[in-house]
Amino acid sequence: MHPAPSVILFTVLSGMGFGLLALLALGAAQPLGLAALLHWGLGYGLAVGGLLASTFHLGNPQRALRAFTQWRTSWLSREGWASVLTLFMLAPVALAAIMGAGLPSFFGATGAAMALLTVYCTAMIYAQLKTVPRWNHWITPVLFLLFALTGGAILTGRNGFGAIMALLLGAALFYSFRRGDGAFAERGATIGSATGLGALGEVRQFAPPHTGGNYLMNEMIFRVGRKHVRRLRIIAILGASLLPAPILVFVPPLPWVMAVAAVIHLVGAFAARWLFFAEAEHVVGLYYDAH
Amino acid sequence: MTALPPPSAKKLGLVIDLDTCVGCQACVTACKGWNDQGYGAPLSDMDAYGSAPCGTFLNRVHSYEVQPEAAAPQIINFPRSCLHCDNAPCVTVCPTGASYKRAEDGIVLVNESACIGCGLCAWACPYGARELDAEAGVMKKCTLCVDRIYNDNLAEEDRVPACVRTCPTGARHFGDLGDPESAVSRLVAERGGYDLMPEMETKPVNKYLPPRKKGAVEASPLAPLLDVQATGFAGWLDRLLEKF
Ligand code: SF4
Ligand code: SF4
Ligand code: SF4
């Protein structure tokens, strides 16, 4: 699949934002006054900024509000609802924290659950697609949730918890790479089943339907850069997981230390998300004898 | 609504005969010609006269080579358009309700004035039947020529999809696949029509008819004459001439 920068930016940043909001709402860190304002502001900024970035790739963004109508069937619509509800439900929690007022923990807990539900909905947009076997698996929501929790934990300075999440994330990434490589073959779609001609003999493309490119090929048959896959996988696991984990455990949680850890984590997260798209093979490629 | 309607009794669709299709691309042209001017946004072309032209099409014709175990390879032309699936994943993923399947005849359509152009439906379709129009920013797909088949302003024989009407070899058939007695259903039963990528569980309405079994390459009727053993006087002459 084509790794659109706006979608990569959106999923990484908003995921981190919702993870941060969830941990703040659970009272993971208890910043007061200005610190609280900065923390919550960062959470809201990342979440909202990410959501805005996601509208950049729409053909007709002016109608984006219509995307709230089909929550009964569409994960994209559910994601819209979950994100807006989360931002509303957490507003009083954020205000209470900034003003130093107390609020029953029930508010924070439900808001945190909604924030994680939002991340889950985002992941399910991809995980639901039978057409992309690499995504169509439970590991996809697990990865997205671990990214959110690791990012959020680094930003709140939750050391032990953050380190555990980071290590789990590394394991999940490793598993998703290994499992993903065989996913397409395992699904069983071949040029023979796509054309139905497989029973007659071995099928190969003789001539494509057009000599130029088209939307399908640009969007779903992305092959550039696969040669960098190995290196990027290492960067993803090191950056997102293995480097931040010891920093969280062994270096005192000073703000600049956390900032460095967050940047390293983000580099890994962007590499991982780029791979998530670039490595994903869509079955439509079979018709073009390329996937 | 992007919830799928209960399966309709009437299932309009196409039956494509891979035995007769000659890959002339006439249906591609007819489809683009008709759908450029009526239903919804026209099918745009980008850089049409430049070095990298690219455009929106609702129907494309591939060519494949099949190599059987022990026979000569065969070229098979393969038209590909929306299959109007009964279990259409492109409908349920749509966040806006723009993508829908009609309850009355099963045609899958896009309400362009509600489409935000997110492209998710094209991702959900295994068959590459949906293309986002680069100019209009909305999703385009085969409409089964819904503006022809029910159009009383057209002559009776024109009330079929443009691609079916134009196909010079009669490789495209249109009809109700929900009715087991219809001409298309009988054709499917007779010829062993099949679904594309059944493992995707989309339950396509459109069916493909496999190429008919080709006999072995027939020997020329003149072949025996090539190796005549002369006898009698001719034989004597033959042997004599060989000596020189
Ligand atoms: S062929 Fe593709 S676009 Fe058409 S109904 Fe089936 S899934 Fe949807
Ligand atoms: S591109 Fe349009 S029709 Fe397709 S899912 Fe998005 S809003 Fe629906
Ligand atoms: S039925 Fe109409 S829209 Fe569909 S492929 Fe044929 S000509 Fe194109």
Side-chain angles (χ1 to χ4, degrees), chain B residues 14 27 30-31 35 58-59 81 142-145 161-164 172:
Chain B
L14 300 175
C27 57
C31 173
N35 290 291
L58 311 182
N59 176 32
S81 58
C142 161
T143 64
L144 207 61
C145 286
C163 55
V164 172
R172 304 178 73 100

Side-chain angles (χ1 to χ4, degrees), chain A residues 5-171:
Chain A
S6 65
V7 179
I8 294 177
L9 212 62
F10 147 60
T11 54
V12 169
L13 293 185
S14 78
M16 195 176 198
F18 281 109
L20 172 57
L21 289 177
L23 290 184
L24 285 175
L26 285 176
Q30 305 249 331
L32 291 171
L34 182 65
L37 182 67
L38 287 177
H39 269 97
W40 282 96
L42 183 62
Y44 267 83
L46 286 171
V48 175
L51 289 178
L52 286 180
S54 75
T55 62
F56 293 163
H57 79 288
L58 297 182
N60 280 285
Q62 77 282 6
R63 303 183 192 131
L65 280 184
R66 285 187 183 266
F68 287 98
T69 60
Q70 304 301 316
W71 50 272
R72 276 190 222 84
T73 60
S74 168
W75 282 105
L76 184 50
S77 189
R78 289 173 196 160
E79 181 205 34
W81 273 109
S83 58
V84 169
L85 282 177
T86 305
L87 296 179
F88 272 113
M89 285 166 67
L90 286 179
V93 184
L95 281 181
I98 293 166
M99 317 281 245
L103 206 63
S105 61
F106 164 79
F107 285 86
T110 45
M114 275 308 287
L116 294 180
L117 190 64
T118 307
V119 176
Y120 179 74
C121 289
T122 306
M124 284 310 289
I125 294 173
Y126 305 104
Q128 70 177 329
L129 297 172
K130 281 207 186 83
T131 49
V132 185
R134 196 183 276 273
W135 292 348
N136 189 216
H137 193 257
W138 56 261
I139 193 68
T140 300
V142 168
L143 266 181
F144 275 60
L145 284 167
L146 284 173
F147 264 115
L149 289 171
T150 308
I154 294 176
L155 291 177
T156 49
R158 272 205 106 184
N159 299 349
F161 177 74
I164 294 170
M165 289 298 121
L167 291 177
L168 283 177
L169 173 60

